[in-house]
Amino acid sequence: MERTPSIFTSHLYLNTEKDPEQISKLTQKNWNLYYVTPLYKFLYTRLKSYSRLLSAFIVAEKQKGIAVEVGFETNFKVNFSIIQGLTEIEEAAEAVFIQICSKPKFATEATAETVIWSGWLSCVNGNTEYLSSLPPEFTCLPLFCANGAESMTALVTTWLQRTFDCNFGPLRIGSNSLRWLAAMWTGCEPEMGIRYLKLSWSLPCRPPLSISFTVHPGDAWELWRSIRQDQVRMTIEEVDQFMSCLESHFFRHFKIYLSAGELIDVSTSLGSAHRDGKIKFMSSHYMPGILTLLTESAFLMMPI
Protein backbone atom coordinates (compact mmCIF):
# COMPACT_ATOMS: atom_id res chain seq x y z
CA MET A 1 0.00 0.00 0.00
CA GLU A 2 1.26 3.44 -0.87
CA ARG A 3 2.39 5.48 2.09
CA THR A 4 0.87 8.93 2.09
CA PRO A 5 2.92 12.01 2.96
CA SER A 6 1.58 13.86 5.98
CA ILE A 7 0.82 16.93 3.89
CA PHE A 8 -2.10 14.97 2.50
CA THR A 9 -3.73 14.89 5.89
CA SER A 10 -3.23 18.56 6.61
CA HIS A 11 -2.56 21.49 4.32
CA LEU A 12 0.13 22.53 1.88
CA TYR A 13 0.71 26.24 1.62
CA LEU A 14 1.46 27.33 -1.92
CA ASN A 15 4.26 29.87 -2.22
CA THR A 16 4.15 31.76 -5.50
CA GLU A 17 6.55 34.57 -4.51
CA LYS A 18 9.82 32.86 -5.43
CA ASP A 19 12.05 34.54 -7.99
CA PRO A 20 12.09 32.24 -11.06
CA GLU A 21 15.73 33.17 -11.72
CA GLN A 22 16.78 31.40 -8.51
CA ILE A 23 15.60 28.07 -9.81
CA SER A 24 15.91 28.52 -13.58
CA LYS A 25 18.58 25.78 -13.68
CA LEU A 26 15.93 23.27 -12.66
CA THR A 27 13.42 23.91 -15.44
CA GLN A 28 13.21 22.55 -18.99
CA LYS A 29 14.89 19.24 -18.04
CA ASN A 30 13.71 15.70 -17.36
CA TRP A 31 14.75 14.68 -13.85
CA ASN A 32 15.06 11.17 -12.45
CA LEU A 33 14.28 11.13 -8.73
CA TYR A 34 16.12 9.44 -5.86
CA TYR A 35 16.06 9.58 -2.08
CA VAL A 36 19.31 10.14 -0.17
CA THR A 37 20.19 9.43 3.46
CA PRO A 38 21.97 12.23 5.40
CA LEU A 39 25.47 13.14 4.23
CA TYR A 40 28.24 12.71 6.80
CA LYS A 41 30.71 15.60 7.15
CA PHE A 42 29.52 17.45 4.05
CA LEU A 43 30.79 21.05 4.18
CA TYR A 44 29.56 23.93 2.04
CA THR A 45 32.98 25.56 2.41
CA ARG A 46 34.54 22.69 0.42
CA LEU A 47 32.44 22.81 -2.74
CA LYS A 48 35.47 23.69 -4.91
CA SER A 49 37.36 20.76 -3.45
CA TYR A 50 34.42 18.42 -4.11
CA SER A 51 34.38 19.62 -7.73
CA ARG A 52 38.02 18.60 -8.20
CA LEU A 53 37.64 15.30 -6.38
CA LEU A 54 34.58 14.19 -8.34
CA SER A 55 36.23 15.19 -11.62
CA ALA A 56 39.31 13.11 -10.76
CA PHE A 57 37.09 10.18 -9.76
CA ILE A 58 35.25 10.23 -13.10
CA VAL A 59 38.52 10.32 -15.04
CA ALA A 60 39.94 7.46 -12.97
CA GLU A 61 36.84 5.33 -13.47
CA LYS A 62 36.91 5.98 -17.21
CA GLN A 63 40.52 4.89 -17.40
CA LYS A 64 39.40 1.61 -15.82
CA GLY A 65 37.04 1.13 -18.75
CA ILE A 66 33.84 2.38 -17.15
CA ALA A 67 31.49 3.66 -19.87
CA VAL A 68 30.60 7.31 -19.49
CA GLU A 69 28.93 7.67 -22.91
CA VAL A 70 31.24 10.42 -24.17
CA GLY A 71 34.46 10.22 -26.17
CA PHE A 72 37.62 8.97 -24.47
CA GLU A 73 39.66 12.02 -25.41
CA THR A 74 37.53 14.29 -23.31
CA ASN A 75 38.24 16.62 -20.41
CA PHE A 76 35.68 16.73 -17.62
CA LYS A 77 34.81 19.78 -15.59
CA VAL A 78 32.69 19.40 -12.47
CA ASN A 79 31.16 22.31 -10.62
CA PHE A 80 29.38 22.24 -7.25
CA SER A 81 27.30 25.32 -6.43
CA ILE A 82 24.47 26.44 -4.17
CA ILE A 83 20.94 27.11 -5.42
CA GLN A 84 19.81 30.08 -3.37
CA GLY A 85 16.18 30.53 -2.40
CA LEU A 86 14.78 27.01 -2.28
CA THR A 87 14.83 26.51 1.48
CA GLU A 88 11.93 27.96 3.46
CA ILE A 89 12.72 26.84 7.01
CA GLU A 90 15.72 27.56 9.20
CA GLU A 91 16.58 23.90 9.83
CA ALA A 92 16.87 22.99 6.12
CA ALA A 93 20.21 22.98 4.31
CA GLU A 94 20.70 24.94 1.09
CA ALA A 95 20.22 23.03 -2.17
CA VAL A 96 23.39 21.88 -3.92
CA PHE A 97 23.66 21.85 -7.72
CA ILE A 98 26.21 19.65 -9.54
CA GLN A 99 27.03 20.24 -13.19
CA ILE A 100 29.40 18.21 -15.34
CA CYS A 101 30.71 19.60 -18.62
CA SER A 102 32.93 18.04 -21.24
CA LYS A 103 35.29 19.45 -23.82
CA PRO A 104 37.44 17.66 -26.44
CA LYS A 105 40.96 17.23 -25.14
CA PHE A 106 42.60 19.18 -27.96
CA ALA A 107 39.86 21.76 -28.40
CA THR A 108 40.69 25.44 -28.67
CA GLU A 109 39.86 27.90 -25.92
CA ALA A 110 37.00 29.19 -28.04
CA THR A 111 35.33 25.78 -28.11
CA ALA A 112 32.27 25.83 -25.91
CA GLU A 113 31.85 23.31 -23.13
CA THR A 114 28.96 20.88 -23.36
CA VAL A 115 26.84 20.09 -20.31
CA ILE A 116 26.60 16.30 -20.25
CA TRP A 117 25.05 15.81 -16.81
CA SER A 118 23.45 17.82 -14.02
CA GLY A 119 21.93 16.98 -10.68
CA TRP A 120 20.89 18.56 -7.40
CA LEU A 121 20.24 17.71 -3.79
CA SER A 122 17.63 19.58 -1.79
CA CYS A 123 15.47 19.67 1.30
CA VAL A 124 12.41 21.89 0.88
CA ASN A 125 10.20 22.17 3.98
CA GLY A 126 11.57 18.94 5.39
CA ASN A 127 10.47 17.35 8.66
CA THR A 128 11.74 19.85 11.25
CA GLU A 129 11.65 17.34 14.10
CA TYR A 130 13.86 14.94 12.14
CA LEU A 131 16.22 17.70 10.96
CA SER A 132 16.66 19.04 14.49
CA SER A 133 17.44 15.56 15.83
CA LEU A 134 20.40 15.00 13.48
CA PRO A 135 23.93 15.32 14.91
CA PRO A 136 25.77 18.38 13.56
CA GLU A 137 28.07 16.19 11.44
CA PHE A 138 25.16 15.26 9.17
CA THR A 139 23.59 17.34 6.39
CA CYS A 140 20.14 16.24 5.27
CA LEU A 141 19.38 16.74 1.56
CA PRO A 142 16.98 13.83 1.00
CA LEU A 143 15.83 14.63 -2.55
CA PHE A 144 18.25 13.96 -5.41
CA CYS A 145 17.37 14.78 -9.04
CA ALA A 146 19.54 13.70 -11.98
CA ASN A 147 19.52 14.59 -15.66
CA GLY A 148 21.88 12.81 -18.04
CA ALA A 149 23.29 9.39 -18.85
CA GLU A 150 22.54 6.68 -16.30
CA SER A 151 26.20 5.66 -16.32
CA MET A 152 27.21 9.17 -15.22
CA THR A 153 24.49 9.20 -12.55
CA ALA A 154 25.91 5.91 -11.26
CA LEU A 155 29.40 7.41 -11.06
CA VAL A 156 28.21 10.55 -9.25
CA THR A 157 26.10 8.64 -6.73
CA THR A 158 28.93 6.14 -6.13
CA TRP A 159 31.32 9.00 -5.35
CA LEU A 160 28.80 10.70 -3.07
CA GLN A 161 28.16 7.45 -1.20
CA ARG A 162 31.85 6.76 -0.68
CA THR A 163 32.67 10.34 0.28
CA PHE A 164 29.75 11.09 2.61
CA ASP A 165 28.74 7.61 3.80
CA CYS A 166 25.19 7.99 2.45
CA ASN A 167 22.84 5.75 0.47
CA PHE A 168 20.69 6.39 -2.60
CA GLY A 169 17.54 4.70 -3.76
CA PRO A 170 14.95 5.23 -6.52
CA LEU A 171 12.04 7.51 -5.60
CA ARG A 172 8.69 6.68 -7.13
CA ILE A 173 5.90 9.24 -7.31
CA GLY A 174 2.85 7.63 -5.77
CA SER A 175 -0.69 7.91 -7.08
CA ASN A 176 -1.67 10.29 -4.28
CA SER A 177 1.22 12.59 -5.14
CA LEU A 178 0.26 12.56 -8.81
CA ARG A 179 -3.31 13.47 -7.94
CA TRP A 180 -2.01 16.39 -5.91
CA LEU A 181 0.15 17.57 -8.81
CA ALA A 182 -2.81 17.38 -11.20
CA ALA A 183 -4.84 19.69 -8.96
CA MET A 184 -1.91 22.00 -8.28
CA TRP A 185 -1.10 22.52 -11.95
CA THR A 186 -4.78 22.95 -12.79
CA GLY A 187 -4.88 25.78 -10.27
CA CYS A 188 -2.30 27.63 -12.40
CA GLU A 189 -4.63 27.87 -15.42
CA PRO A 190 -5.93 31.45 -14.94
CA GLU A 191 -2.42 32.88 -14.48
CA MET A 192 -0.19 30.61 -16.56
CA GLY A 193 -2.39 28.73 -19.03
CA ILE A 194 -1.79 24.99 -18.62
CA ARG A 195 -3.06 24.36 -22.23
CA TYR A 196 -4.14 20.82 -21.37
CA LEU A 197 -4.44 18.35 -18.52
CA LYS A 198 -3.50 14.81 -19.52
CA LEU A 199 -3.93 11.96 -17.06
CA SER A 200 -2.96 8.32 -17.58
CA TRP A 201 -4.12 5.28 -15.63
CA SER A 202 -3.02 1.66 -15.57
CA LEU A 203 -5.89 -0.78 -15.01
CA PRO A 204 -5.38 -4.30 -13.61
CA CYS A 205 -6.64 -6.22 -16.66
CA ARG A 206 -5.29 -9.08 -18.75
CA PRO A 207 -3.65 -7.91 -20.87
CA PRO A 208 -2.89 -4.71 -18.87
CA LEU A 209 -4.89 -1.71 -20.02
CA SER A 210 -3.55 1.83 -20.16
CA ILE A 211 -5.96 4.75 -20.50
CA SER A 212 -5.14 8.39 -21.23
CA PHE A 213 -7.68 11.10 -20.51
CA THR A 214 -7.09 14.64 -21.77
CA VAL A 215 -9.18 17.40 -20.22
CA HIS A 216 -9.71 20.85 -21.74
CA PRO A 217 -7.91 23.37 -19.49
CA GLY A 218 -10.99 25.60 -19.22
CA ASP A 219 -13.17 22.69 -18.11
CA ALA A 220 -10.54 21.50 -15.62
CA TRP A 221 -10.22 25.00 -14.15
CA GLU A 222 -13.97 25.53 -13.82
CA LEU A 223 -14.27 22.23 -11.98
CA TRP A 224 -11.36 23.06 -9.69
CA ARG A 225 -12.71 26.57 -9.03
CA SER A 226 -16.10 25.14 -8.03
CA ILE A 227 -14.39 22.88 -5.48
CA ARG A 228 -11.89 25.28 -3.91
CA GLN A 229 -12.88 26.55 -0.48
CA ASP A 230 -9.74 28.46 0.41
CA GLN A 231 -7.81 30.39 -2.23
CA VAL A 232 -4.60 30.41 -0.17
CA ARG A 233 -4.14 26.70 0.51
CA MET A 234 -5.43 23.44 -0.89
CA THR A 235 -6.48 20.33 1.00
CA ILE A 236 -6.53 16.63 0.28
CA GLU A 237 -10.31 16.70 0.48
CA GLU A 238 -10.43 19.15 -2.43
CA VAL A 239 -7.95 17.09 -4.43
CA ASP A 240 -9.96 13.90 -3.87
CA GLN A 241 -13.17 15.61 -4.92
CA PHE A 242 -11.53 17.04 -8.04
CA MET A 243 -10.21 13.65 -9.17
CA SER A 244 -13.45 11.88 -8.25
CA CYS A 245 -15.41 14.25 -10.49
CA LEU A 246 -13.05 13.63 -13.41
CA GLU A 247 -13.29 9.86 -12.94
CA SER A 248 -17.10 10.03 -12.73
CA HIS A 249 -17.23 12.04 -15.95
CA PHE A 250 -15.10 9.41 -17.69
CA PHE A 251 -17.33 6.61 -16.40
CA ARG A 252 -20.50 8.28 -17.72
CA HIS A 253 -19.04 8.25 -21.23
CA PHE A 254 -17.05 5.00 -21.34
CA LYS A 255 -18.38 2.89 -18.44
CA ILE A 256 -14.87 2.32 -17.09
CA TYR A 257 -13.96 2.83 -13.44
CA LEU A 258 -10.64 4.65 -13.48
CA SER A 259 -10.61 4.47 -9.68
CA ALA A 260 -10.08 0.71 -10.02
CA GLY A 261 -6.65 1.39 -11.53
CA GLU A 262 -3.60 3.45 -10.64
CA LEU A 263 -2.87 6.96 -11.82
CA ILE A 264 0.60 6.72 -13.39
CA ASP A 265 1.18 9.97 -15.26
CA VAL A 266 0.18 13.64 -15.12
CA SER A 267 1.10 16.14 -17.82
CA THR A 268 0.43 19.81 -18.57
CA SER A 269 2.41 22.50 -20.39
CA LEU A 270 3.76 23.56 -16.99
CA GLY A 271 5.21 20.19 -16.11
CA SER A 272 4.83 16.43 -16.11
CA ALA A 273 5.38 13.61 -13.65
CA HIS A 274 5.41 9.81 -13.92
CA ARG A 275 5.09 7.20 -11.18
CA ASP A 276 8.50 5.73 -12.11
CA GLY A 277 10.13 8.77 -10.54
CA LYS A 278 10.44 11.15 -13.47
CA ILE A 279 9.46 14.81 -13.37
CA LYS A 280 9.87 17.85 -15.58
CA PHE A 281 9.35 21.47 -14.57
CA MET A 282 8.47 23.69 -17.52
CA SER A 283 7.79 26.60 -15.18
CA SER A 284 8.94 27.65 -11.73
CA HIS A 285 5.34 28.33 -10.74
CA TYR A 286 4.42 26.40 -7.57
CA MET A 287 7.85 24.71 -7.56
CA PRO A 288 8.31 25.13 -3.77
CA GLY A 289 5.04 23.28 -3.20
CA ILE A 290 6.01 20.50 -5.59
CA LEU A 291 9.45 20.15 -4.03
CA THR A 292 7.86 20.05 -0.57
CA LEU A 293 5.80 17.09 -1.75
CA LEU A 294 8.82 15.30 -3.24
CA THR A 295 10.98 16.04 -0.19
CA GLU A 296 8.48 14.44 2.16
CA SER A 297 8.12 11.48 -0.18
CA ALA A 298 11.91 11.08 -0.02
CA PHE A 299 11.79 11.18 3.80
CA LEU A 300 9.23 8.38 3.78
CA MET A 301 11.41 6.23 1.51
CA MET A 302 14.61 6.60 3.55
CA PRO A 303 15.42 3.51 5.64
CA ILE A 304 15.07 4.17 9.36
Side-chain angles (χ1 to χ4, degrees):
M1 180 179 295
E2 177 188 346
R3 291 192 294 177
T4 303
S6 63
I7 59 172
F8 287 106
T9 58
S10 56
H11 304 282
L12 175 62
Y13 289 84
L14 304 179
N15 188 330
T16 60
E17 298 178 356
K18 290 292 183 183
D19 183 354
E21 292 183 3
Q22 294 179 327
I23 49 178
S24 61
K25 294 180 180 179
L26 313 183
T27 60
Q28 310 296 321
K29 294 182 179 70
N30 291 304
W31 300 104
N32 292 310
L33 305 179
Y34 303 83
Y35 69 83
V36 193
T37 58
L39 284 66
Y40 180 63
K41 291 189 175 180
F42 174 89
L43 298 174
Y44 286 90
T45 55
R46 295 197 61 198
L47 294 186
K48 288 185 178 180
S49 175
Y50 298 153
S51 299
R52 293 192 298 269
L53 291 171
L54 177 54
S55 179
F57 175 78
I58 293 172
V59 171
E61 291 299 299
K62 186 159 183 59
Q63 289 175 348
K64 294 178 183 178
I66 305 298
V68 185
E69 299 185 16
V70 293
F72 182 83
E73 297 297 330
T74 297
N75 289 327
F76 293 99
K77 181 180 178 181
V78 179
N79 183 51
F80 278 71
S81 60
I82 297 175
I83 304 176
Q84 300 285 352
L86 280 184
T87 58
E88 298 190 338
I89 57 175
E90 183 178 351
E91 295 85 354
E94 292 283 4
V96 176
F97 189 77
I98 308 170
Q99 183 171 273
I100 302 176
C101 300
S102 70
K103 193 173 185 178
K105 189 171 184 179
F106 299 106
T108 64
E109 292 184 4
T111 303
E113 295 177 334
T114 301
V115 177
I116 61 171
W117 187 92
S118 55
W120 46 293
L121 302 107
S122 66
C123 180
V124 181
N125 293 322
N127 186 304
T128 55
E129 183 177 353
Y130 177 84
L131 295 175
S132 299
S133 69
L134 284 175
E137 296 84 7
F138 288 90
T139 300
C140 189
L141 295 165
L143 177 63
F144 178 66
C145 306
N147 171 264
E150 291 184 6
S151 58
M152 187 62 80
T153 300
L155 287 177
V156 174
T157 54
T158 296
W159 180 83
L160 289 169
Q161 288 177 125
R162 293 179 182 178
T163 305
F164 303 110
D165 195 22
C166 59
N167 289 299
F168 287 74
L171 178 62
R172 286 170 54 92
I173 305 178
S175 180
N176 285 335
S177 298
L178 290 172
R179 291 159 69 90
W180 192 276
L181 290 174
M184 184 180 294
W185 276 322
T186 297
C188 298
E189 168 59 22
E191 303 169 25
M192 306 294 292
I194 63 171
R195 299 184 188 173
Y196 61 89
L197 172 62
K198 184 178 179 180
L199 309 167
S200 298
W201 280 263
S202 176
L203 272 67
C205 305
R206 292 188 178 180
L209 178 64
S210 296
I211 295 178
S212 293
F213 179 21
T214 301
V215 185
H216 187 277
D219 294 338
W221 162 245
E222 287 300 325
L223 173 61
W224 180 237
R225 185 172 66 89
S226 69
I227 292 171
R228 290 300 307 277
Q229 300 297 319
D230 189 328
Q231 298 305 311
V232 177
R233 57 189 180 182
M234 53 190 287
T235 67
I236 186 57
E237 291 78 17
E238 293 171 343
V239 173
D240 285 343
Q241 186 178 353
F242 176 68
M243 294 302 299
S244 178
C245 289
L246 292 177
E247 292 168 353
S248 296
H249 176 78
F250 191 88
F251 178 78
R252 284 196 299 270
H253 287 275
F254 302 103
K255 301 300 185 262
I256 296 176
Y257 287 105
L258 295 176
S259 58
E262 179 186 7
L263 182 63
I264 61 173
D265 187 85
V266 175
S267 179
T268 76
S269 64
L270 300 184
S272 61
H274 193 279
R275 70 174 175 185
D276 291 340
K278 302 179 187 299
I279 195 164
K280 185 174 185 178
F281 305 100
M282 297 302 295
S283 168
S284 61
H285 207 63
Y286 282 174
M287 185 176 283
I290 297 171
L291 293 179
T292 297
L293 172 65
L294 297 178
T295 296
E296 189 158 357
S297 296
F299 270 113
L300 290 175
M301 287 298 297
M302 286 195 306
I304 300 176

